[in-house]
Amino acid sequence: MSAAVGIALTGSGSATPSRTVSNDELSLWLDTSDGWIRSRTGIAARRVATLEDSLESLASQAAREAMDQAGWTPDQVELILLATSSPEDLFGSAPAVQAALGATNAVAFDLTAACSGFLFALITGAQYIRAGTYRRVLVVGADMLSRWVDWQDRRTCVLFGDGAGAMAMEAAPHGWEGLLAMAMETDGRRRHCLTLSHHTTPQNLHEQLQAGSGGFGSITMDGQEVYKFAVQQVPLVLTRVLQQAGITPEQLDWLLLHQANERILAAVAQRLGIPASKVLSNLQHYGNTSAATIPLMLHGAVSTGGIQPGHLIASSGFGAGLSWGAALLRWGVT
Ligand code: COA
C-alpha cells in the first residue's frame, strides 16, 4: 500500500462586512457598557452585516483570496467545504461559492459544527487529500450570527460578529506535512448549553394529518457553562494533539484558538504554559465570528507577516454541540 499523501497549507483569505459596531453603539439600545464588555470578553467592536451584505459573497471573497494566494486557477479546485451555521439556503450555500469562483470542476457542500466548524472542515478536507481523492481543497468558514442573535439579549448579542475566512489546502510535495495531528469531539448531552433551535408549530392539513412548520428562533446560551467547558476541554484536546505529534508547547510558534473570549484564550495559554506573545487574538476588532474566527485570524497574521512559512501553529475550535477539536498545523511550504 502506498503511503498516505501529505498536506500543505498554501493560501489564506478573509472578508468582513464594512459596518463596524462599537460597544458604545450597542449601549444606545442595550443596558450594557464598553467597560463591561471589554473586561468580560476583550471585545471592543464587531462587524455587522447590513442589507447589502451576503454570507455567500463574503465566503466567496475569502475563498477567492485563498485560491489566488495558493496560485490556483478556479478550474483546479476539486472540493469546497463551507463551514457555516448561518447559510442563506438551508440546502447549502457552498454551491453558490463554487459558482461565484467559477470552480466548475469542484464539488461543494456545507458542513455545520458551529464554532468548531472550520476546524472540523479542515480535518475533513484533509482526509480527502490523504486518501488521494482530491488534490486541491478550499476550506471556508463563514457566519453571520447577527441575523440570529436576539439584539435585546445583552448576554449574547454583544459577543458575536460577522465574517468569513478561508484556507487553501493541497497535496504536499514529497516529505512535507502541514497537518501533524488532529482530534475532534462532541458531547450531545450538553447541546442545550448553546442552541439555535427550530420552533415547530402544527399545521393541520386535513383531519388526520398534522404536519409541522415554523422557523428558527434566536441563539440561547448558558454563558458560564460554555466558559467552564472551554477552559476545561480545550487544554486537554490541545495536549492530546501535541502528544500525538511528539511536540512540546515550547516548540510552538503560535496558539490560534477560536476567538470567543480573551479570558478563555488567556486561561488556555496559561494551562499549557504558552506565553501571551504567542497567542493570536483579534477579538477586540471582530468579536466571535463563529466558524470564521480561525481562518480570519490566520489570514490577518499571515498578511502582517506574523505567521511565516514553516511556523508551527496549535489550533483549537470549540462551541455549540457541544463540539471541540484541535489540529497541529505547519503553515506554508519551505
Ligand atoms: N452588559 C452588562 N451586564 C451584563 C451583560 C452585558 N452585556 N451581560 C450580562 N450582564 C450581567 C448579567 O445580567 C449579570 O447581572 P446580575 O448579576 O445582576 O444578574 C452579570 O452581568 C453577571 O453575568 P454573568 O453571566 O455571571 O457574567 P459572566 O462573568 O459569566 O460573563 C460571559 C458572561 C457571557 C461573558 C461569559 O460567561 C462567557 O464569556 N462565556 C462563554 C461564552 C462564549 O464564549 N460563547 C460562545 C462559545 S463558541
Side-chain angles (χ1 to χ4, degrees), residues 106-121:
V107 60
F109 59 92
D110 288 18
L111 186 153
T112 302
C115 297
S116 306
F118 179 79
L119 204 90
F120 281 23

Side-chain angles (χ1 to χ4, degrees), residues 32 36 40 115 154 221 223-224 226-227 258 260-261 288 318:
T32 190
W36 193 97
R40 303 283 174 128
C115 297
R154 66 178 185 175
M221 181 182 73
Q224 291 188 1
V226 173
Y227 187 91
H258 166 52
N261 182 315
N288 179 346
F318 53 89

